[in-house]
């Protein structure tokens, strides 16, 4: 037993926190996150010291336990008389809170989102316990698609702002603003300028809700303690006239900064962030068009940063493609791939497939030759007659073409075995295009555009037109399709990759995030699918489903944490092997150790300190 305790203390020391024997720790803004990060040894109760008492304690969503405060805690922390006499466990609280949320919201996603938001504002731990207990039901409520409505309505419904707002009016004070939060031991931050919110575009300051939702997923799937997560809204103005004319709009009232001034703003923000939170992972989210690529390229070589729309999308689709090739019996190196859509998602997918091909021994030119990218003007090629942005020019074909080469013409000519949709436009995959793909025994067709109304084709259409031959994955959730047999439809959801990637970056201590680390996240997801869901993979379900796994006797919430830990371990190993990453750790970390370090929605015992 002594040896076991010593090992636990050693592991906790490595993670930056001290487990308690009876683990009494003084909790300040600096130590609270670390105390929650460290898991106590089996059978030991985590005990932490806190300064807050009475109403201040009840009003702190990170520390509030509601009716779970024990009688001793109520006496010692000046809560006696502020709560009814009964004491409830977190399990009881979760059941009651769920019933109340369902009673309030019913089946209305908008009302459910509001009820969950109010719970989060009151008690972070209980919020994550409820969502963990009902992950499949509440995942679409706290993030896609319901978070889009929350962004649109935020100025009219904002009850309690979360995170920080760096604006054109306070950018010169960014370092001071972030310094006020530095004591929270921020490990991961999600930042948006809210211009490219998926499916709804420019939302001004309302896009701040995207960062809150994304960080909730980091906590649920990768075990980042809520106190270590920081949402950041960059308010650089909005070009949405309806927002500027709205009397209730809460953002700055001017047009978006143009390119030169915009990057002056971004430079000030990123430098301030790095000075105050040098060890935190910075995720760029929902930057639109060329800015998404420019921002990532500008900072990735000297900042621990990622862009999920580019890299996370690329990784999850790469994992799905590897799984689909297993089913079809094809090889990546022999594939011909057409990607329809050249925005952040489409180019992110193209880049990841190129990196994957290069990791298998192809040169960069050889890898690029396997990939054809189209946009609204058809095939992207040199000499097309329009000025190509840098990210599109990266995949421009060098062959001699003239005029517009449509998607249908391209598919007929090059006969791809893989067709991926990231166009954002419904109906782009026609019957003739899918039938042309069927020169291959098992064509791979991924209509990935969100929301559901924007899918290039529905799974049912693809199965009908291909006579059941196609292997299909989608961006939005679809139920199984009956064609001969029941075909399960995998969802290429970034939620399967980015939490594990973020956790792996954090655990490795990498100075920067390299292409090899992102590729490792996609390959790890593929390996996980093959190892644990081989039966479903053989049926064409090319990614893990977010659902309970009765065979392994684990819940959906356990499963997503297992996936994230599995991915994180592979990312750490990739960071160690890649000298460019500058990883601080020197030895791989097993998935089970990463899983042990994850924060869980459980209450600690409090003592006054």
């Amino acid at each position: 037993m002594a040896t076991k305790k010593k090992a636990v203390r050693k592991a906790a020391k490595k993670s930056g926190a001290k487990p308690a024997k009876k683990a009494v720790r003084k909790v300040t803004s600096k130590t609270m996150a670390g105390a929650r990060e460290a898991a106590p040894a089996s059978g030991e109760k985590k005990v932490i010291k806190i300064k807050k008492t009475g109403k201040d304690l009840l009003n702190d969503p990170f520390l509030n336990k509601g009716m779970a405060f024990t009688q001793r805690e109520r006496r010692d922390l000046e809560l006696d008389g502020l709560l009814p006499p009964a004491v409830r466990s977190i399990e009881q609280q979760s059941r009651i809170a769920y019933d109340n949320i369902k009673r309030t919201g019913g089946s209305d996603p908008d009302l459910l989102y509001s009820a969950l938001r109010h719970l989060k504002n009151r008690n972070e731990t209980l919020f994550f316990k409820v969502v963990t207990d009902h992950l499949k039901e509440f995942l679409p409520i706290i993030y896609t698609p319901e978070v889009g409505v929350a962004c649109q309505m935020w100025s009219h419904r904002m009850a309690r702002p979360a995170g920080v707002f760096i604006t054109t009016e306070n950018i010169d004070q960014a370092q001071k603003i972030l310094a006020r939060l530095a004591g929270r031991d921020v490990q991961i931050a999600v930042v948006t300028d809210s211009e490219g919110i998926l499916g709804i575009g420019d939302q001004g300051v309302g896009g701040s809700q995207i960062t809150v939702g994304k960080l909730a997923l980091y906590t649920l799937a990768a075990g980042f303690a809520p106190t270590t997560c920081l949402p950041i809204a960059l308010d650089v103005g909005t070009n949405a006239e309806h927002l500027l004319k709205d009397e209730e709009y809460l953002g700055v009232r001017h047009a978006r900064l143009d390119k030169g001034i915009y990057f002056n703003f971004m430079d000030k923000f990123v430098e301030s962030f790095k000075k105050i939170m040098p060890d935190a992972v910075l995720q760029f989210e929902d930057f639109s068009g060329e800015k998404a690529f420019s921002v990532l390229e500008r900072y990735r070589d000297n900042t621990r940063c990622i862009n999920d729309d580019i890299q996370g999308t690329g990784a999850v689709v790469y994992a799905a493609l590897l799984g689909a090739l297993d089913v079809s019996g094809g090889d990546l190196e022999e594939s011909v791939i057409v990607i329809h859509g050249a925005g952040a998602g489409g180019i992110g997918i193209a880049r990841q497939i190129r990196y994957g091909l290069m990791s298998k021994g192809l040169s960069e030119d050889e890898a690029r030759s396997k990939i054809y990218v189209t946009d609204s003007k058809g095939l992207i090629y040199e000499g097309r007659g329009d000025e190509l942005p840098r990210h599109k020019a990266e995949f421009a074909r060098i062959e001699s073409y003239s005029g517009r080469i449509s998607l249908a013409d391209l598919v007929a000519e090059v006969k791809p075995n893989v067709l991926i949709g990231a166009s954002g436009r419904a109906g782009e995959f026609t019957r003739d295009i899918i039938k042309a793909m069927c020169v291959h025994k098992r064509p791979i067709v991924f209509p990935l555009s969100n929301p559901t109304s924007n899918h290039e084709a529905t799974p049912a259409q693809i199965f009908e037109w291909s006579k059941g031959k196609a292997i299909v994955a989608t961006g939005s959730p679809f139920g199984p399709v009956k064609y001969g047999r029941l075909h399960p439809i995998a969802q290429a959801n970034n939620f399967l990759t980015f939490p594990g990637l973020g956790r792996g970056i954090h655990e490795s201590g990498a100075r920067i995030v390299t292409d090899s680390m992102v590729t490792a996240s996609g390959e790890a997801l593929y390996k996980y699918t093959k190892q644990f869901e081989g039966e479903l993979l053989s049926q064409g379900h090319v990614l893990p489903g977010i659902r309970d796994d009765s065979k392994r006797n684990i819940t959906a919430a356990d499963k997503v944490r297992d996936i994230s830990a599995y991915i994180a371990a592979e990312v750490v190993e990739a960071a160690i092997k890649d000298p460019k990453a500058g990883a601080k750790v020197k030895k791989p970390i097993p998935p089970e150790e990463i899983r042990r370090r994850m924060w869980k929605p459980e209450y600690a015992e409090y003592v006054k300190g």
Side-chain angles (χ1 to χ4, degrees), residues 46-47 50 105 182 201 252 255 321 422 566 586:
K46 183 165 55 181
V47 183
I50 60 173
V252 295
L321 176 57
Y566 194 98
K586 302 304 177 188

Side-chain angles (χ1 to χ4, degrees), residues 269-286:
F269 162 69
V270 173
E271 286 306 310
S272 297
F273 182 87
K274 287 164 60 179
K275 282 180 182 176
I276 302 302
M277 300 170 182
D279 297 324
V281 180
L282 181 63
Q283 179 180 308
F284 298 115
E285 182 74 16
D286 285 340

Side-chain angles (χ1 to χ4, degrees), residues 287-591:
F287 288 70
S288 75
E290 178 65 19
K291 282 180 186 171
F293 296 97
S294 298
V295 167
L296 180 62
E297 297 306 319
R298 191 178 185 92
Y299 304 114
R300 66 174 305 186
D301 290 337
N302 54 31
T303 306
R304 188 182 295 175
C305 64
I306 57 173
N307 182 306
D308 182 50
D309 303 307
I310 298 171
Q311 295 162 296
T313 301
V316 74
V317 176
Y318 181 58
L321 176 57
L322 293 178
L325 288 167
D326 263 7
V327 178
S328 70
D331 293 316
L332 184 63
E333 302 94 312
E334 302 301 321
S335 293
V336 177
I337 299 147
V338 170
I339 299 169
H340 184 48
I347 297 299
I349 294 165
R351 285 180 176 179
Q352 190 52 68
I353 293 172
R354 183 184 65 197
Y355 299 144
L357 285 163
M358 291 169 64
S359 72
K360 295 180 182 299
L362 275 68
S363 70
E364 184 171 351
D365 286 342
E366 288 171 334
R368 192 166 49 236
S369 73
K370 302 286 184 182
I371 303 166
Y372 295 78
V373 180
T374 65
D375 61 11
S376 60
K377 297 178 182 178
L379 175 66
I380 297 171
Y381 64 91
E382 291 182 4
R384 190 171 72 170
D386 57 334
E387 188 176 344
L388 293 173
R390 219 170 24 153
H391 65 278
K392 290 187 181 184
E394 188 178 332
F395 289 94
R397 304 295 298 187
I398 61 173
E399 297 93 332
S400 296
Y401 293 99
S402 62
R404 183 179 188 275
I405 312 299
S406 70
L407 176 63
D409 292 338
L410 179 65
V411 170
E413 180 183 333
V414 304
K415 297 178 174 53
N417 61 314
V418 179
L419 176 61
I420 297 171
S423 67
R425 298 184 299 275
E428 295 286 292
F429 292 174
T430 64
R431 180 191 298 269
D432 288 344
I433 288 173
I434 300 303
K435 289 179 79 171
M437 295 279 299
C438 290
V439 296
H440 300 280
K441 186 178 179 182
R442 297 299 305 274
I444 296 166
V445 184
F446 293 171
L448 301 177
S449 292
N450 285 311
T452 308
S453 58
N454 289 349
H455 266 57
E456 288 80 5
T458 67
Q461 289 172 325
I462 296 168
F463 280 113
E464 179 188 345
W465 298 336
S466 69
K467 299 189 184 313
K469 293 169 65 175
I471 301 166
V472 180
T474 58
S476 294
F478 281 88
V481 173
K482 178 74 173 175
Y483 191 95
R485 63 174 176 84
L486 206 59
H487 297 263
I489 308 300
Q491 184 188 1
N493 190 327
N494 293 16
F495 179 50
L496 291 171
T497 50
F498 75 78
L501 175 58
R503 187 83 206 187
I505 298 165
H506 167 69
E507 295 288 351
S508 71
R511 183 180 58 84
I512 63 170
V513 183
T514 62
D515 293 334
S516 63
M517 293 166 67
V518 179
T519 299
S521 70
E523 290 179 342
L525 180 59
Y526 158 66
K527 290 177 189 174
Y528 182 95
T529 308
K530 196 169 183 177
Q531 180 175 346
F532 296 109
E533 307 217 347
E535 184 180 332
L536 285 172
L537 178 60
S538 66
Q539 298 170 26
H541 199 281
V542 297
L543 289 168
I546 301 171
R547 58 182 173 273
D548 295 347
D549 188 334
S550 56
K551 285 191 175 180
R552 295 167 61 201
N553 194 30
I554 58 174
T555 65
D558 286 329
K559 187 175 184 179
V560 296
R561 288 196 166 204
D562 277 352
I563 292 169
S564 294
Y566 194 98
I567 290 172
E570 295 281 329
V571 171
V572 170
E573 190 165 349
I576 294 170
K577 290 178 179 177
D578 191 338
K580 293 180 183 177
K584 289 182 180 177
V585 302
K586 302 304 177 188
K587 294 182 180 179
I589 307 173

Side-chain angles (χ1 to χ4, degrees), residues 73-94:
E73 287 173 324
R74 297 180 192 201
R75 287 192 305 272
D76 294 351
L77 301 173
E78 301 173 25
L79 297 172
D80 199 19
L82 298 181
L83 295 167
V87 176
R88 286 176 174 159
S89 68
I90 195 169
E91 289 74 21
Q92 287 177 298
Q93 285 183 307
S94 180

